[in-house]
Each structure stands twice: as structure tokens, then as C-alpha cells.
Amino acid sequence: MSSFDVVIIGSGPGGYVSAIRCAQLGFNTAIIEKYSSLGGTCLNVGCIPSKAMLASSHHYAEIKHFEDHGIELTGEVKINLAKMVARKQAVVDQTSGGVKYLMDKNKITVLEGTGSFVDATHVAVAKADGTTETIEAKNIIIATGSKPSSLPFITIDKERIITSTEALKLPEVPKHLVIIGGGVIGIELGQVYLRLGAQVSVVEYMDRIIPGMDSSLSKELTKVLKKQGMKFYVSHKVQSVERAGDVVTVQAENAKGETITLEGDYALVSVGRRPYTDGLNADKAGVKISDRGQVEVNDHLQTNVPNIYAIGDVVRGAMLAHKAEEEGTMVAELLAGQKPHIDYNLIPGVVYTWPEVAAVGQTEEQLKEAGIAYKSGSFPFKALGRARASADLDGFVKILADAKTDEVLGVHMIGARTADLIAEAVVAMEFKASAEDISRMSHAHPTFAEAVKEAALAATDNRPIHV
Ligand SMILES: Cc1cc2nc3c(=O)[nH]c(=O)nc-3n(C[C@H](O)[C@H](O)[C@H](O)COP(=O)(O)OP(=O)(O)OC[C@H]3O[C@@H](n4cnc5c(N)ncnc54)[C@H](O)[C@@H]3O)c2cc1C
């Protein structure tokens, strides 16, 4: 029987990053993945393919503005969705191949099959050819991720009533895509098909889209997407989703108790994701799973069984690839006797629409609820030379700082390239910067990053330069 220092179940961003860090630290490491393609949800049906589709559809949307730039198109511009989807798949295959390369380079044993606990130190790997190999492990890391969740009365048929997985490989551009759930995944995929010509309606139970983020971001994103043609039904509770032939009918009730009916040809159910432990036989190792289906862990990501850890979407916290990566690294370093730490408050959240939305730290709603006195400074992108040069005028940067100490408590931005700009805010907050610290750092001109400096000036003592 093969024996390893560390066995990781699941090859998503949590699992594969953890495997690499374990190998770097000298552990004899194996990783088990049930699919032939490594990289988990993120690489195969999540972050990477959705960003590929967003990038392709963004190019198409940009064509409408070419004339403003003095570029005249003489021929017809057409969408070839099959080619767009094939390109997305090529990006996925290349990225997944890159993970395989990294496994080989780090001498990590990759076992293809479904891993299930035999006991606390043995894992059975059921392979596609029907055979089972049992391996021994000193330490085991559960990194089995998540799957799309649904509502009890919805039947996902994967053809017309679909999840994000199917939405990434549709055979046609929907005429009318009804999206159930206005969170990040629904809104990103909604913008893809809106750009490609679909009518897109979003039904959201809460009173705003991207409800976990600062309400100012939600308001601005709603405004921009409405301008682009997306329709919103917020504070609407979906009651039924039925399919008859090629028609999908969604009924939802608003706050006044009135029922609305939306007819589309596709309904995308994006109401969140659930932790995935099916077939893992966690009970055989004695590992506790919570009522919400999450593997229960302590602050060191250790389960109730001391040699078994869990990371990523399968445990509490934000379901984000970079959160899973940090946790994978942390467990590897803990096993090596190091003292790593994750500040969960400083894990940024991003929506990859255009304009992009990005945030880190506390929202205004959270600060108010906690009774923390704060100052707020905002700066609109339309006042930036760089934004005008590229005609990316929507959005703003908002910095929230402690009223007394000026320490930055939260940074919220919507606009061009904010997915990348947020890294400056993370660094600043990691080093406990004040708004004044940021405002006194030189930011290259002309860049979108100048909006961060200007918002910091506004937060420090209300003295932005360019408004
Ligand atoms: C459409 C979409 C877009 C997204 N975009 C972003 C984004 O832009 N940025 C971001 O940060 N996050 C994004 N996410 C979320 C991100 O994909 C997840 O947070 C991330 O993949 C979680 O990583 P993980 O390692 O915990 O699990 P996963 O990536 O889910 O990987 C788990 C792996 O474990 C395998 N597995 C499960 N059980 C077993 C078993 N018993 N035996 C063997 N293998 C098993 C699964 O097959 C899977 O490969 C997106 C998600 C979706 C669906």
C-alpha cells in the first residue's frame, strides 16, 4: 500500500495550491481528483471559463463604440458562439494542463478517482476502470469544494433550466434569459449574454443585487447594467420555474404580494453554491459535517479529527478561489510547524462585469451596525484623465477610514480595472495604512489608480484635487 505524509482530496485552487506548498515543504504528497481535468470548479466551470466568456463578449460589446474612436467597420460583425465556447474550452484545457505540469514538477502523486475515507488514516480511490486503490496518509486535507445549489421546487434539467455550468456552454444565445439570483455568478453570466444580444431579466429575493457588497456598489452596478438593458426584479421571491417545450416560465411574488410571470427560453438558477461532500464517507473517519453541509473546522482549519483538515468552499467563509488558496497554504505550513495566519477581513471580493466591482474590508452597513465612527471619501472615475481617454467613465472609488485614527477600514470600488486596483487597498490595509498614507503615495499619471489616491485625499480631510 502506498503511504504519504499528506493526501489531499480535491484538486481545486484549495487542493492543488496546498499540494504544491506541501511538496515545497518536503512532504511526500498525493492529490486525488475524480475528474480527469485538474483545477476544480474554478479552472473548469468557474473563474477561468466565466472570465474567458466575459472577455470575448466584452470585445463584442466594445465594437459598438469603435466609431467614437474613429474606427469604421465596413463588413458585418457576427457572433460565432460555438467558436467562443471552443476558445473558452481551450483556455480551460491549457490552464488545467498547467496544473498537471505543476503537479509533476513538484513530484506530487496524482490519483484520478473518487476519494472516500476508509478510516482516519486511509483513503480509498475508486477509479473509472472499476478498480479501487487504498492509500495511507499521516495527514489528510479535504478540499472537495462545492456544487451549484437550487431551490427545492426547481428541477434543473441542464437544458433550459440550467446552472452556471451549463451557462458556460450554451448551444445558442438565449432570446430571453431569466436569471434567478442576482449574486456575482448570475450577474457576470447575465452580462455575457446581454452583450451577445439576449434579453436578460434578473429576479432577486433581496432588495438589491450583489447583496453582500457595500450598497453603493450595488446601486451603481444596477444603474450601469440597466443602462445596458438588463432588467431587475429585486425583492421578488421566486415561486415556480416550469418548462414546457422550449419555454421556461418563472413566477415570482413581490413585496406587495403580487405575482409576476416571466417567460424565457432559458432560466439560469444562480442562488448560491453548497459545500460538496457526497461520497466522501466522512463519517468513517469520524469527521463532523455541520447542518449546513460544511466540514466543521477550528481556526487552524483542523476538523474534530486531529490529522484531518479541510479548506476552501467545503468549509465556512467566502466561496472564493483565493480564499481556498490561502487556506491550502496555511494548512501546509501548519503541518510543517510554521505559524501562518489568514486575515479573513482582507480577502477581496470581485465582480468581473464591466465596469468591474471590487471591495475589501468593512462595508458602510457593517460599520454602522458595529457602531464604528468612520469617514468616507469618494472619487468618480469620470473626473480622471485616464478614464476619459479610454471612455470608461462609470463608477467610483470609496474609502472608509476610522473617524479618529484615519486607519482604512474598507475600500469599495466600481469601474474599469478595479479587479486589479483592489490589490493596492489590500496591501494598504494589511499594513494598517491610514487614508493619508495612501494619499501621500505617488500614483502614476494618467492611471485608473489615481482614483484610489483621490478617494484617500477625500477621506483624509476632504481635499481631492480633481473634483
Ligand atoms: C461560474 C463561477 C465563477 C466563479 N468565479 C470566481 C472568480 O472569478 N473568483 C473567485 O475567487 N471565485 C470564483 N468562483 C468560485 C470558485 O470557483 C470557488 O470558490 C473555488 O473553486 C473553490 O475552490 P476549492 O478548491 O475549495 O473547490 P473546487 O474548486 O470546487 O474543487 C473541488 C474539487 O474536488 C473534487 N472532488 C470532490 N469530491 C471528491 C472526491 N470525493 N474525490 C476526488 N475528488 C473530489 C471536485 O471534482 C473538484 O475538482 C466561481 C465559481 C463559479 C461557479
Side-chain angles (χ1 to χ4, degrees):
M1 184 188 297
S2 307
S3 184
F4 299 91
D5 296 323
V6 186
V7 166
I8 296 161
I9 308 174
S11 74
Y16 88 74
V17 169
S18 193
I20 294 171
R21 190 71 189 112
C22 284
Q24 285 174 344
L25 291 164
F27 294 120
N28 178 18
T29 306
I31 191 163
I32 307 169
E33 172 54 57
K34 69 177 183 180
Y35 294 119
S36 56
S37 172
L38 299 178
T41 304
C42 179
L43 265 63
N44 292 285
V45 291
C47 328
I48 300 300
S50 60
K51 266 80 263 181
M53 293 297 281
L54 278 159
S56 299
S57 60
H58 184 60
H59 288 314
Y60 182 61
E62 286 290 281
I63 288 171
K64 285 186 202 142
H65 306 291
F66 273 14
E67 285 215 347
D68 304 342
H69 292 268
I71 303 165
E72 288 172 13
L73 294 172
T74 47
E76 196 188 346
V77 179
K78 283 198 299 195
I79 294 288
N80 182 336
L81 185 63
K83 198 164 176 183
M84 203 178 272
V85 170
R87 174 197 173 267
K88 171 221 75 177
Q89 196 51 45
V91 172
V92 166
D93 293 344
Q94 203 180 15
T95 314
S96 173
V99 175
K100 177 72 176 74
Y101 163 80
L102 291 171
M103 295 299 103
D104 294 344
K105 185 182 157 210
N106 286 283
K107 301 192 172 41
I108 294 160
T109 302
V110 178
L111 298 164
E112 190 185 324
T114 300
S116 62
F117 283 100
V118 176
D119 57 35
T121 50
H122 294 87
V123 179
V125 185
K127 302 186 178 177
D129 63 8
T131 61
T132 298
E133 179 183 354
T134 299
I135 56 173
E136 189 178 37
K138 285 196 192 104
N139 297 288
I140 299 169
I141 303 174
I142 303 170
T144 48
S146 63
K147 291 277 179 206
S149 56
S150 182
L151 297 169
F153 52 86
I154 300 179
T155 307
I156 308 264
D157 66 13
K158 299 192 178 183
E159 282 177 12
R160 296 272 164 186
I161 303 176
I162 58 174
T163 70
S164 57
T165 303
E166 295 77 48
L168 290 165
K169 52 180 182 197
L170 285 184
E172 59 181 347
V173 175
K175 290 181 195 66
H176 183 194
L177 175 64
V178 182
I179 299 180
I180 298 156
V184 180
I185 293 174
I187 296 295
E188 286 183 3
L189 292 170
Q191 197 181 36
V192 167
Y193 287 105
L194 184 73
R195 288 166 175 164
L196 299 184
Q199 182 189 336
V200 176
S201 305
V202 178
V203 187
E204 166 58 49
Y205 176 71
M206 304 291 278
D207 61 357
R208 57 192 177 91
I209 58 165
I210 51 167
M213 299 185 93
D214 192 279
S215 63
S216 62
L217 298 180
S218 167
K219 201 167 149 195
E220 181 76 3
L221 184 63
T222 304
K223 192 177 92 189
V224 176
L225 292 175
K226 269 188 182 168
K227 219 164 49 184
Q228 293 174 5
M230 201 179 278
K231 289 207 166 62
F232 294 99
Y233 300 86
V234 295
S235 300
H236 276 70
K237 186 177 179 185
V238 171
Q239 291 171 315
S240 68
V241 181
E242 302 293 340
R243 175 183 173 184
D246 290 351
V247 179
V248 179
T249 307
V250 177
Q251 289 201 310
E253 190 185 74
N254 67 17
K256 292 182 203 149
E258 298 157 349
T259 300
I260 59 149
T261 303
L262 297 169
E263 261 187 16
D265 47 350
Y266 289 87
L268 165 62
V269 182
S270 52
V271 292
R273 296 182 59 84
R274 64 173 178 90
Y276 182 72
T277 53
D278 297 6
L280 189 63
N281 288 343
D283 53 323
K284 289 206 176 157
V287 171
K288 268 196 206 149
I289 310 279
S290 75
D291 295 343
R292 302 177 64 194
Q294 293 165 334
V295 177
E296 285 186 13
V297 287
N298 64 18
D299 288 348
H300 286 167
L301 297 156
Q302 192 176 31
T303 69
N304 57 309
V305 182
N307 69 315
I308 302 177
Y309 294 77
I311 57 172
D313 282 10
V314 81
V315 303
R316 80 286 182 272
M319 285 184 164
L320 292 170
H322 43 287
K323 177 257 194 189
E325 290 182 29
E326 293 306 324
E327 291 183 336
T329 301
M330 175 162 158
V331 170
E333 293 179 355
L334 281 168
L335 291 175
Q338 299 181 4
K339 294 191 166 47
H341 171 73
I342 297 171
D343 184 345
Y344 285 95
N345 182 46
L346 296 188
I347 291 183
V350 174
V351 190
Y352 293 83
T353 45
W354 197 266
E356 293 173 334
V357 186
V360 64
Q362 301 288 295
T363 63
E364 284 210 58
E365 290 79 20
Q366 286 168 330
L367 291 174
K368 278 182 191 145
E369 203 181 308
I372 297 169
Y374 67 93
K375 317 174 279 178
S376 171
S378 292
F379 188 82
F381 276 102
K382 63 174 180 279
L384 274 190
R386 181 68 184 83
R388 277 202 302 279
S390 64
D392 285 307
L393 301 173
D394 292 318
F396 58 84
V397 174
K398 177 168 86 174
I399 294 187
L400 307 174
D402 188 282
K404 264 203 204 124
T405 65
D406 198 37
E407 181 182 340
V408 177
L409 302 175
V411 180
H412 308 277
M413 39 174 89
I414 171 167
R417 304 190 192 172
T418 56
D420 294 291
L421 293 188
I422 199 66
E424 175 180 0
V426 178
V427 173
M429 290 177 70
E430 190 71 58
F431 286 90
K432 307 253 177 253
S434 63
E436 186 180 358
D437 288 333
I438 298 177
S439 77
R440 292 193 179 278
M441 293 191 305
S442 176
H443 288 66
H445 175 76
T447 57
F448 291 100
E450 285 174 290
V452 180
K453 179 184 171 107
E454 292 271 11
L457 280 166
T460 305
D461 53 7
N462 200 18
R463 54 179 186 88
I465 303 288
H466 290 94
V467 277

